[in-house]
Amino acid sequence: MLISFIRIIKFAFQNFWRNIWLSIATLSIIVLTLISISSLIFVTVLTNEAINSVKQLVDLNVSFKPEVTLEEVQEIEVSLRELEQVSTTVFISKTEALKEFEAFHKDEELIQESLKELDENPLGHALVVKAKNLEDYPFVLTFFQEEGREDKIQEFNKNFEKHEVILEKMALVTKRVRELALAISIVFVLIAVLIVFNTIRIAIYTHSEEISIMKLVGASNAFVRGPFIFESFWYAFIATAITLALLYPLVNVVNPYINQFFSSNFDLVTYYTQNIVWIGLYEFVGMLLLNLVATSVALGKYLDV
Amino acid sequence: MWYTKNTVIVFKGVSKKYPPNVYALKDATLHIKPGEFVSIVGQSGVGKTTMAKLITAEQSPTKGKIIIGGWDISRIKNRAKPILRRQIGVIYQDFKLLPRKTVYENIAFALQVSGFPRSKIVKIVPQVVKIVGLEEKEERFPKQLSGGEKQRVAIARALAHRPKVLVADEPTGNLDTVNTNEIVDLLLKINGFGTTVVLVTHNREVVNGLKKRVVTLEEGEVVSDQAHGKYMI
Ligand SMILES: Nc1ncnc2c1ncn2[C@@H]1O[C@H](COP(=O)(O)OP(=O)(O)OP(=O)(O)O)[C@@H](O)[C@H]1O
Ligand SMILES: [Mg+2]
């Protein structure tokens, strides 16, 4: 058993080296496929990031009346956080609000003057609420409009409402973009699967004569299959390693352009280095399964001797 | 009847039909005793190769029984075929060597498939290489050999696990006279060791020179079977 196993691995490597050009061709196709799949992953991540960064611009800024106390606001914040539609809340105290206000209007003398004349802070506390989805803002708004809350509120800065039309369009566009990306991905993966499948089939077809000879001198199916199965494993492994190595410089080259495009601090290189293990693992396992299926299917008809 | 229980190959009323409706063998009956040297002759398309393929279970009979060394292989399972083939040596007109393995590896392969340990392989391979006279060429690949040399490698491979039967389907079909005679001499030498040899051939001179048993096929039927036969057609 063990001796067969060792022989199978030896034959697999012999096969690989003695058909080095065919091996390289097969390997290149697999690597190219994996690079394309990886690019698809990156594009998906970037699309999501673009959608998110737009979402980040949208929030609901609730300013409370100056007489509303810190405790009252904090109480509201706590119940607000219990809503599943709410993603984050940020508390802004009176003092902070004033500072921001001053900073924002620092070039406007008139406002600066009038601020100085007031002894007391005219502003109240504020809460900045981000909902999970764009569609959730109206609901969050009704929360503030409930009895006992509405009269504590000075004003809403409903930038989601200002952008309502744009946002509606955005929501639609992002939905379409996602659907399109999914459709493209499916087509793309299908093409990749077909290409790899056929590449493996051709590689095995070139061995069809040998396979029948092996069977005629008394090799069992398992013994003939063994080296090919091991080669599948080896191809998937090497191809994944090469792909990951090639992607690193590629990602570094495109990264500056992506950074320019995203004002947010999304960084593709960071994303890549943080997720390299998962990307590698998924691609390896996916490619291995594909190779194994292709190999078994392709071998099937030649083994029947 | 000359037939005794002591047989190594038995064909009992064997018919072989290829789709759609070609009868390559019709009700063929044949008994071969251990140590015999039998030539199977006949014109092209009479079913000689089919007979050889039935012995190695590359084909299965449509009707009748085939018994090899007491084992009825008429309905042999796919799983058992390797075991049968490890007991029969086969050589072909086109040699059927593994192109990407050296002479040594080609011969060793036949042993590796049946799980022979390395220690035995390194002893057996040089022995059979010596029998066929290829001592200097063990490290060559098939494409670096002449036709005659390739066929000798194939014979060495067939001999490696000491088969009881050697089936040769037109082994000299691709060779010139000198190489043909050398291969036939080798087959005789192997037969001299006690191996049963079944030789399928077209070659009149070879058959007549052998003065051994000749079975003649005609349109799938055994039409003559002579102990010291001649090529008749
Ligand atoms: N796989 C096959 N499928 C269909 N018909 C076949 C097949 N193999 C052989 N035949 C037919 O069976 C008949 C016998 O073929 P076979 O190869 O046994 O002849 P042969 O005596 O070996 O001929 P040759 O001397 O030319 O090698 C022929 O008519 C051939 O066309
Ligand atoms: Mg023939």
Side-chain angles (χ1 to χ4, degrees):
Chain A
M1 216 37 229
L2 178 69
I3 194 163
S4 295
F5 188 70
I6 292 167
R7 275 170 190 163
I8 279 168
I9 290 176
K10 192 176 132 201
F11 290 157
F13 281 112
Q14 243 179 31
N15 232 346
F16 188 84
W17 286 115
R18 291 186 183 172
N19 295 286
I20 190 66
W21 288 109
L22 181 68
S23 306
I24 288 174
T26 311
L27 205 52
S28 313
I29 300 271
I30 298 178
V31 168
L32 285 175
T33 309
L34 285 180
I35 288 185
S36 314
I37 297 279
S38 308
S39 312
L40 193 68
I41 294 175
F42 292 150
V43 168
T44 313
V45 169
L46 289 175
T47 313
N48 282 337
E49 197 52 38
I51 292 168
N52 280 339
S53 70
V54 172
K55 271 195 194 164
Q56 288 300 314
L57 299 176
V58 180
D59 55 30
L60 173 63
N61 194 326
V62 186
S63 309
F64 293 87
K65 290 181 175 159
E67 66 269 21
V68 178
T69 63
L70 182 64
E71 287 73 30
E72 283 174 298
V73 176
Q74 278 171 341
E75 199 183 308
I76 291 176
E77 192 179 12
V78 167
S79 35
L80 194 58
R81 283 195 173 156
E82 278 165 11
L83 299 178
E84 63 172 299
Q85 285 87 348
V86 170
S87 120
T88 61
T89 63
V90 177
F91 173 76
I92 297 173
S93 71
K94 283 181 190 201
T95 344
E96 281 176 293
L98 185 63
K99 263 191 216 147
E100 261 179 45
F101 186 81
E102 281 175 340
F104 192 75
H105 297 285
K106 66 175 185 290
D107 298 330
E108 290 162 71
E109 299 227 336
L110 198 66
I111 295 178
Q112 295 290 342
E113 291 293 308
S114 35
L115 274 176
K116 268 178 209 157
E117 268 164 42
L118 292 166
D119 336 330
E120 227 178 288
N121 185 349
L123 300 176
H125 299 298
L127 279 177
V128 179
V129 186
K130 282 205 162 92
K132 285 204 181 111
N133 294 305
L134 296 177
E135 305 86 76
D136 294 331
Y137 281 101
F139 178 85
V140 177
L141 196 58
T142 57
F143 170 86
F144 284 105
Q145 286 161 344
E146 273 170 29
E147 284 265 344
R149 289 199 192 102
E150 192 166 23
D151 48 358
K152 289 181 183 155
I153 287 159
Q154 184 83 31
E155 67 165 338
F156 292 111
N157 186 349
K158 301 182 269 187
N159 81 358
F160 70 91
E161 215 168 47
K162 268 187 258 165
H163 301 312
E164 197 160 43
V165 185
I166 302 173
L167 285 179
E168 252 170 42
K169 283 227 169 101
M170 268 270 321
L172 191 69
V173 168
T174 54
K175 197 166 157 250
R176 283 289 128 79
V177 168
R178 286 224 168 100
E179 284 168 0
L180 193 70
L182 185 70
I184 292 176
S185 305
I186 289 172
V187 170
F188 203 86
V189 169
L190 270 180
I191 292 173
V193 165
L194 281 180
I195 290 175
V196 171
F197 207 85
N198 267 320
T199 309
I200 302 266
R201 264 181 33 157
I202 291 165
I204 288 183
Y205 172 76
T206 62
H207 292 287
S208 55
E209 179 83 17
E210 278 171 81
I211 292 168
S212 69
I213 296 173
M214 290 176 181
K215 289 297 305 281
L216 288 175
V217 299
S220 63
N221 283 355
F223 198 84
V224 175
R225 234 187 249 126
F228 290 104
I229 299 285
F230 186 80
E231 261 188 285
S232 303
F233 184 87
W234 172 243
Y235 275 130
F237 181 77
I238 290 281
T240 310
I242 294 176
T243 303
L244 293 181
L246 287 179
L247 280 177
Y248 192 76
L250 285 179
V251 166
N252 269 298
V253 166
V254 293
N255 200 36
Y257 300 96
I258 288 165
N259 284 345
Q260 245 173 31
F261 182 74
F262 286 103
S263 47
S264 72
N265 44 17
F266 180 79
D267 189 83
L268 195 59
V269 175
T270 315
Y271 173 84
Y272 180 61
T273 42
Q274 276 171 359
N275 292 283
I276 189 162
V277 173
W278 290 112
I279 295 177
L281 199 65
Y282 280 127
E283 291 187 349
F284 170 70
V285 171
M287 195 45 80
L288 178 62
L289 289 179
L290 178 58
N291 282 355
L292 286 180
V293 171
T295 303
S296 314
V297 170
L299 273 178
K301 60 174 174 254
Y302 304 124
L303 283 173
D304 194 18
V305 175
Chain B
M1 218 163 125
W2 55 267
Y3 159 59
T4 68
K5 270 224 162 76
N6 185 18
T7 54
V8 65
I9 299 175
V10 177
F11 275 59
K12 227 188 243 173
V14 173
S15 296
K16 173 66 191 175
K17 183 174 110 175
Y18 288 115
N21 205 15
V22 184
Y23 271 91
L25 279 184
K26 287 178 215 147
D27 198 23
T29 296
L30 187 66
H31 297 83
I32 297 175
K33 283 183 273 186
E36 270 196 288
F37 191 120
V38 183
S39 302
I40 313 258
V41 303
Q43 283 179 334
S44 186
V46 295
K48 306 184 296 295
T49 294
T50 301
M51 206 167 223
K53 285 185 172 171
L54 287 167
I55 295 174
T56 56
E58 278 175 77
Q59 296 288 353
S60 53
T62 314
K63 241 179 65 192
K65 251 189 189 169
I66 299 168
I67 298 160
I68 309 289
W71 178 8
D72 185 348
I73 61 154
S74 321
R75 297 281 170 273
I76 188 171
K77 294 252 175 357
N78 278 336
R79 249 181 310 117
K81 286 177 184 173
I83 297 160
L84 171 73
R85 288 170 187 167
R86 290 171 202 166
Q87 295 169 35
I88 305 172
V90 196
I91 56 180
Y92 302 88
Q93 179 171 358
D94 59 355
F95 321 125
K96 296 209 193 294
L97 298 177
L98 294 166
R100 278 172 277 256
K101 289 192 189 289
T102 63
V103 168
Y104 184 95
E105 289 164 351
N106 260 285
I107 300 166
F109 187 80
L111 297 168
Q112 287 163 336
V113 296
S114 29
F116 272 69
R118 218 186 103 81
S119 56
K120 281 203 176 167
I121 293 176
V122 296
K123 267 196 222 146
I124 295 172
V125 177
Q127 279 171 12
V128 289
V129 165
K130 191 158 176 247
I131 292 174
V132 300
L134 283 175
E135 289 96 326
E136 303 296 300
K137 292 169 178 166
E138 284 184 356
E139 295 313 317
R140 293 210 192 170
F141 286 92
K143 63 167 179 274
Q144 301 166 323
L145 298 173
S146 74
E149 287 168 339
K150 281 185 212 169
Q151 195 57 291
R152 285 193 265 161
V153 177
I155 292 174
R157 175 180 65 187
L159 290 181
H161 39 46
R162 303 185 178 283
K164 297 275 183 317
V165 180
L166 181 70
V167 179
D169 187 0
E170 313 255 15
T172 60
N174 280 343
L175 304 179
D176 62 20
T177 324
V178 177
N179 276 305
T180 295
N181 291 337
E182 279 178 14
I183 295 298
V184 172
D185 285 345
L186 246 178
L187 293 179
L188 282 169
K189 184 167 152 191
I190 290 160
N191 182 237
F193 299 155
T195 308
T196 311
V197 176
V198 178
L199 170 68
V200 170
T201 184
H202 263 132
N203 193 312
R204 178 186 298 271
E205 286 76 46
V206 166
V207 176
N208 292 344
L210 278 169
K211 303 194 172 59
K212 300 267 188 187
R213 181 174 167 196
V214 176
V215 173
T216 308
L217 293 183
E218 226 168 78
E219 293 189 12
E221 289 177 79
V222 177
V223 292
S224 102
D225 187 345
Q226 295 172 302
H228 300 284
K230 291 223 166 224
Y231 196 104
M232 303 201 304
I233 309 138

